[in-house]
Amino acid sequence: LPDLPMDTVTSLGLHLLALREIRQSIEHAHTLIDSLPTGWSGGNLREPLLSPLPTPYWIRAGIKSALAVVASLVLFNWLHPPGGSLFVLGAWVFTALNAFSPGGRGDRRAFHYVVLSTSLLVVVCLILLAIRPLLSSYGVMNTFIFSGLFAWGYLTFQIRGITIPMQISMLLMVSIVGLNGQEPISFQAVADTFFGLSFALVLAATIQRLLWPTLPQWELRDRYVELLRLLCRGMDGTPIPVWQRSRLALIPGEAEIRIGHLQPPFCPPGERERLCNYLTTLRQIGAHLLVSSGHLNSLLSKNKDPDGQARIGLLEAEIETHLRAHEIGMQTANPPKVDASRLASLLASWVEWMATTRRRMLKDNCHALDIIQFIGLSGRHAECARGLLKAKDEADQLHLPDIMGDYVL
């Protein structure tokens, strides 16, 4: 065993430690299940699964939707535009529900949707004008409403979210239901539907696009920053709340969706692939870091290795310095300003110390699980350092100033 290559030992240690962690997690899950009282309904969870406070994103979305309602009420009472209450309702729906719109497109194409949606409204309103005499029949009206709602509900299931076209379709169905077929439907009623929704689209797009616009590149930046901030928070080994651990699992998928929306001309060729590679590296760093931080110290203190504890402090401090530099670099759209040579030197010294300590533990007949845990945990630290060196090179190749602006209105 003392003569095995260190690369082989580290790889084996990482795998054995991972298997041990999986076993411990399964045992913990069984313990929790066995401790549930009879008739437990799932309430009174000790840790929240969501953030206890709304994020700035949702606070801004609430303020924008409130301003849309106030602005629409002022315009309605001052100018008395056609459309009436549909104008106020539409302005709120288009502004508030856009935050729920799936796909990560955000507000970048808000004015594009005004043109497309208005064109759709023209076609629908012409159809309504053509079939006005038929809508006085309960059979025709109910068939028309049923067909529209069935298609809307089916698309809701398929798309799994309220997109902007579905918001428009929903308000159109509300408007059609509001057309009282018991009386002759007037041209003015159909015109009010068209102008109410059109004015609402224009007002909502103006507020969305000019006040705190939600853009894919900015949402992507915020998710990188959130990921790096959570990794820094886990450096001291203190338990991370469940809702933050769930964010660590969800952020990479959310970021990949936003990366998919970065298109030329403001996104240089190959930039999406570079951003994906950078994201993958950060995700791997986080996977190693959150498992190893705080656990190696207790293992070394048990085996009386003060020199090792000092080395851990140096390496973890340098890892945290790199993480914060990446966070600041992403916030300012600049490469991380950090010295990679110092981390490389610490990594080389760390690998040497791993080999020396492992041989010493074998010589002292330490428990096999202690040796496996030492190799696995110290190997994770080494993988973090290698990952950060790789992330530094990948971050230096990014063209962040080219994609983090707001160019396309």
Side-chain angles (χ1 to χ4, degrees):
L1 285 177
D3 299 328
L4 283 174
M6 198 59 206
D7 290 344
T8 303
V9 171
T10 303
S11 178
L12 182 62
L14 287 169
H15 281 82
L16 289 174
L17 181 63
L19 290 171
R20 186 166 179 260
E21 290 161 355
I22 292 170
R23 189 201 69 192
Q24 289 173 340
S25 297
I26 294 173
E27 289 176 345
H28 182 56
H30 279 293
T31 303
L32 292 175
I33 291 172
D34 293 339
S35 66
L36 293 178
T38 304
W40 184 71
S41 60
N44 301 320
L45 292 174
R46 287 178 294 177
E47 290 190 63
L49 300 178
L50 297 174
S51 172
L53 296 174
T55 61
Y57 173 83
W58 290 107
I59 293 174
R60 289 195 295 265
I63 293 173
K64 286 197 294 185
S65 59
L67 288 176
V69 172
V70 171
S72 61
L73 286 172
V74 169
L75 291 172
F76 175 67
N77 291 318
W78 175 38
L79 299 177
H80 303 289
S85 59
L86 191 59
F87 171 42
V88 180
L89 176 63
W92 176 78
V93 167
F94 294 141
T95 308
L97 293 189
N98 190 51
F100 295 94
S101 183
R105 296 177 182 85
D107 301 322
R108 185 161 61 93
R109 294 186 177 273
F111 286 114
H112 295 69
Y113 276 113
V114 171
V115 177
L116 295 174
S117 303
T118 305
S119 303
L120 174 65
L121 287 173
V122 169
V123 175
V124 174
C125 289
L126 288 175
I127 294 174
L128 286 175
L129 289 173
I131 64 173
R132 273 188 305 161
L134 298 176
L135 293 180
S136 59
S137 166
Y138 279 114
V140 174
M141 186 63 140
N142 289 337
T143 302
F144 190 77
I145 292 173
F146 175 82
S147 302
L149 290 178
F150 182 85
W152 190 88
Y154 181 77
L155 291 175
T156 304
F157 170 76
Q158 289 291 101
I159 299 174
R160 304 299 173 91
I162 307 298
T163 60
I164 295 174
M166 294 185 69
Q167 296 169 24
I168 296 167
S169 302
M170 178 177 65
L171 287 179
L172 265 175
M173 295 309 301
V174 170
S175 305
I176 293 169
V177 172
L179 296 175
N180 186 4
Q182 293 178 348
E183 301 174 359
I185 298 173
S186 64
F187 175 86
Q188 186 62 42
V190 178
D192 286 346
T193 299
F194 172 78
F195 285 110
L197 291 178
S198 297
F199 292 156
L201 282 165
V202 172
L203 177 61
T206 303
I207 291 176
Q208 289 171 338
R209 202 60 185 83
L210 302 182
L211 178 66
W212 299 320
T214 302
L215 303 176
Q217 61 266 36
W218 294 355
E219 287 193 59
L220 177 63
R221 174 198 60 198
D222 293 343
R223 277 157 178 77
Y224 274 114
V225 170
E226 184 184 4
L227 176 62
L228 290 162
R229 196 168 289 163
L230 288 174
L231 293 182
C232 287
R233 197 167 296 167
M235 281 298 301
D236 56 359
T238 56
I240 296 179
V242 172
W243 69 269
Q244 289 185 341
R245 291 205 298 272
S246 68
R247 288 300 302 149
L248 286 171
L250 294 172
I251 287 172
E254 295 175 357
E256 286 180 355
I257 292 174
R258 272 75 187 175
I259 291 173
H261 292 302
L262 300 181
Q263 303 288 346
F266 69 91
C267 182
E271 187 70 2
R272 291 195 298 180
E273 289 74 15
R274 288 189 287 268
L275 284 167
C276 284
N277 293 336
Y278 182 52
L279 177 66
T280 301
T281 302
L282 292 180
R283 180 168 53 187
Q284 292 169 346
I285 292 170
H288 291 300
L289 193 62
L290 292 176
V291 173
S292 60
S293 291
H295 298 293
L296 197 52
N297 268 318
S298 58
L299 181 65
L300 291 178
S301 61
K302 173 184 173 182
N303 288 277
K304 299 178 182 178
D305 189 350
D307 176 60
Q309 292 180 328
R311 287 177 182 273
I312 293 171
L314 286 174
L315 184 61
E316 289 188 347
E318 190 64 21
I319 288 174
E320 186 172 1
T321 299
H322 273 252
L323 289 173
R324 296 200 181 280
H326 281 269
E327 178 187 341
I328 295 171
M330 189 57 68
Q331 285 176 325
T332 58
N334 289 307
K337 297 179 180 179
V338 67
D339 183 13
S341 61
R342 174 172 168 77
L343 181 59
S345 174
L346 285 172
L347 175 60
S349 173
W350 181 270
V351 173
E352 262 182 47
W353 169 74
M354 281 177 60
T356 304
T357 304
R358 173 182 162 273
R359 286 194 292 268
R360 180 182 62 78
M361 294 178 77
L362 285 170
K363 185 178 178 181
D364 294 344
N365 293 320
C366 291
H367 196 282
L369 282 179
D370 285 348
I371 300 177
I372 290 171
Q373 196 170 5
F374 167 75
I375 293 298
L377 291 173
S378 56
R380 286 184 184 273
H381 273 61
E383 290 299 315
C384 285
R386 293 189 185 97
L388 283 169
L389 292 174
K390 181 181 177 183
K392 174 70 169 64
D393 293 337
E394 291 171 344
D396 289 342
Q397 297 174 18
L398 297 176
H399 300 83
L400 294 178
D402 295 336
I403 64 173
M404 288 302 169
D406 182 4
Y407 303 109
V408 182
L409 280 175

